[in-house]
Amino acid sequence: MRFELFVALRYLFARRGQAFISVISWISVAGVALGVASLIVVMGVMNGFTTDLRDKIIGITSHAVINSAYGKMLEDQLLISRIARVEGVVGATPFIHSGVLLSSRAGGSGSYLRGVDTVSGPKVLGGLNKSTMGSVDDLASEEGLPGSIIGEALADKLNVDIGSRVNLLAPSDQQSS
């Protein structure tokens, strides 16, 4: 019998006069087993959380953004076609972004607006395809006012739903593209 096994069995199964040592040993073994089990469970949950969080961030944010130091980019379609030809690029789309003020009958709120092409945008930003209500295809209609996608928290704050009217105020001197 190996020495380690002999010592382990000696303290796990003690003689009559040393029963208290056996109880303490069993409690210690159970505590270590419970600690290791909880560590394995927490690591599994955190790994799943990390994967989910990474997928959500990548779904709404591009891997790379190309900006112009001189304001609006000229000939952006030519630039997009050049970028799309680069090996490893899955998609490219133009967009504009700006701080805005949104208001409805229930009140107003500052927000961040990103204008994305409705055809090429969903290919680049996977989060556009995961709307719980409505669709990106609804935004491309030629009738009436342009559509928008609003997050759930902002929609609750403004008390709006699909088809509700939202007023948007953007500063004209700070537009970027």
Side-chain angles (χ1 to χ4, degrees):
M1 180 181 301
R2 292 183 12 207
F3 177 72
E4 297 86 3
L5 182 61
F6 172 74
V7 172
L9 293 176
R10 165 86 170 82
Y11 285 100
L12 285 177
F13 302 107
R15 297 182 193 131
R16 286 184 184 225
Q18 298 173 337
F20 185 68
I21 293 174
S22 180
V23 170
I24 290 173
S25 298
W26 280 107
I27 291 173
S28 299
V29 168
V32 169
L34 184 63
V36 169
S38 64
L39 182 63
I40 290 171
V41 168
V42 167
M43 286 176 60
V45 168
M46 291 303 291
N47 188 29
F49 176 72
T50 301
T51 302
D52 185 49
L53 184 63
R54 182 181 58 234
D55 291 345
K56 285 182 180 180
I57 289 172
I58 290 173
I60 62 169
T61 307
S62 304
H63 290 252
V65 176
I66 299 173
N67 288 323
S68 171
Y70 305 107
K72 185 175 182 345
M73 285 190 176
L74 302 175
E75 302 177 12
D76 57 346
Q77 290 302 325
L78 178 64
L79 181 61
I80 289 171
S81 65
R82 285 182 58 198
I83 292 169
R85 287 193 303 262
V86 173
E87 184 179 340
V89 172
V90 176
T93 187
F95 71 94
I96 61 169
H97 56 91
S98 178
V100 295
L101 175 65
L102 294 172
S103 65
S104 68
R105 292 180 188 246
S109 178
S111 187
Y112 190 72
L113 173 79
R114 180 181 291 179
V116 180
D117 181 42
T118 57
V119 177
S120 61
K123 296 174 187 171
V124 176
L125 302 170
L128 293 176
N129 298 323
K130 296 179 182 175
S131 298
T132 56
M133 300 175 73
S135 168
V136 175
D137 298 332
D138 299 336
L139 301 176
S141 70
E142 297 295 327
E143 304 168 8
L145 299 171
S148 63
I149 298 174
I150 298 176
E152 185 177 355
L154 183 59
D156 288 344
K157 185 174 183 178
L158 296 175
N159 195 22
V160 295
D161 201 358
I162 292 179
S164 298
R165 184 179 176 138
V166 177
N167 298 315
L168 185 138
L169 177 64
S172 60
D173 61 338
Q174 294 184 0
Q175 181 181 3
S176 59
S177 62

